[in-house]
Amino acid sequence: MKLRHLTTSIMAIGLFFMVACKSKPKDSEIMTTVSTAVQSIPGVTANVKEGVVTLSGTVSTEEEKTSAEKAAKSVKDVKSVVNNITVTPPPPPAAPVAVTADDSLKTAVADVVKDFPGVKVDVKDGVLTVTGEEKADRWKTLKMALDALHPKKVDAKGLKVK
């Protein structure tokens, strides 16, 4: 009977040691698995110490940050996850392009002047400055077309009329 209790005790102690001596997962094994789990998220790196995963890096969206944390937490033997990933802020909106009154006037003047190859018209502050050479009858036609654009002034001092 004593032998039976002794044998049972020895087996119980042996079983206890076998369970207690079961090897803990190595950080390097966890690191390999975590790295594979987060590799689809560019810019994220992981470090493992005593089963605690620390994520770091930079991502472009909050969803990517959350996804990396979920992927790391899903790995077997991970005790906890410290998420140090930063999300880059979106770029500031582009400054609006200022459109001046001269821009629309320049476009309209270009349409009018295209039929008058010897004439050049500059637009500045709503004033049209006409230079070049043109026949008198064609100048009258051009002048009426330019006046129809309602500029502040049409300055034709630099135009030679034949």
Side-chain angles (χ1 to χ4, degrees):
M1 178 105 164
K2 283 186 172 182
L3 187 58
R4 195 178 215 185
H5 284 288
L6 184 61
T7 306
T8 305
S9 296
I10 290 174
M11 288 183 77
I13 292 172
L15 183 61
F16 173 75
F17 280 116
M18 285 176 39
V19 171
C21 292
K22 177 184 174 190
S23 65
K24 295 180 182 177
K26 294 182 180 177
D27 285 343
S28 60
E29 294 169 356
I30 296 171
M31 176 72 174
T32 302
T33 310
V34 169
S35 293
T36 302
V38 298
Q39 75 181 0
S40 64
I41 305 164
V44 175
T45 58
N47 193 7
V48 180
K49 185 172 183 180
E50 297 178 14
V52 177
V53 177
T54 303
L55 298 173
S56 58
T58 305
V59 295
S60 56
T61 65
E62 194 66 40
E63 291 78 25
E64 289 176 321
K65 178 178 179 177
T66 304
S67 178
E69 184 173 347
K70 285 180 182 178
K73 284 181 178 178
S74 70
V75 173
K76 183 181 175 192
D77 298 321
V78 170
K79 292 178 182 176
S80 64
V81 175
V82 176
N83 193 340
N84 292 334
I85 297 172
T86 57
V87 178
T88 55
V97 177
V99 178
T100 64
D102 280 352
D103 290 338
S104 59
L105 188 57
K106 283 179 184 178
T107 304
V109 166
D111 286 341
V112 170
V113 176
K114 69 181 179 193
D115 296 329
F116 300 88
V119 176
K120 181 180 177 207
V121 179
D122 291 319
V123 180
K124 184 170 182 175
D125 298 327
V127 176
L128 306 181
T129 306
V130 184
T131 57
E133 243 180 64
E134 194 56 74
K135 293 181 181 178
D137 60 327
R138 289 186 45 88
W139 163 236
K140 287 181 185 180
T141 306
L142 175 60
K143 173 78 166 111
M144 286 192 307
L146 292 174
D147 285 339
L149 300 176
H150 305 290
K152 289 181 182 176
K153 179 180 175 184
V154 176
D155 180 8
K157 292 177 188 171
L159 180 68
K160 288 185 182 180
V161 180
K162 301 181 199 175

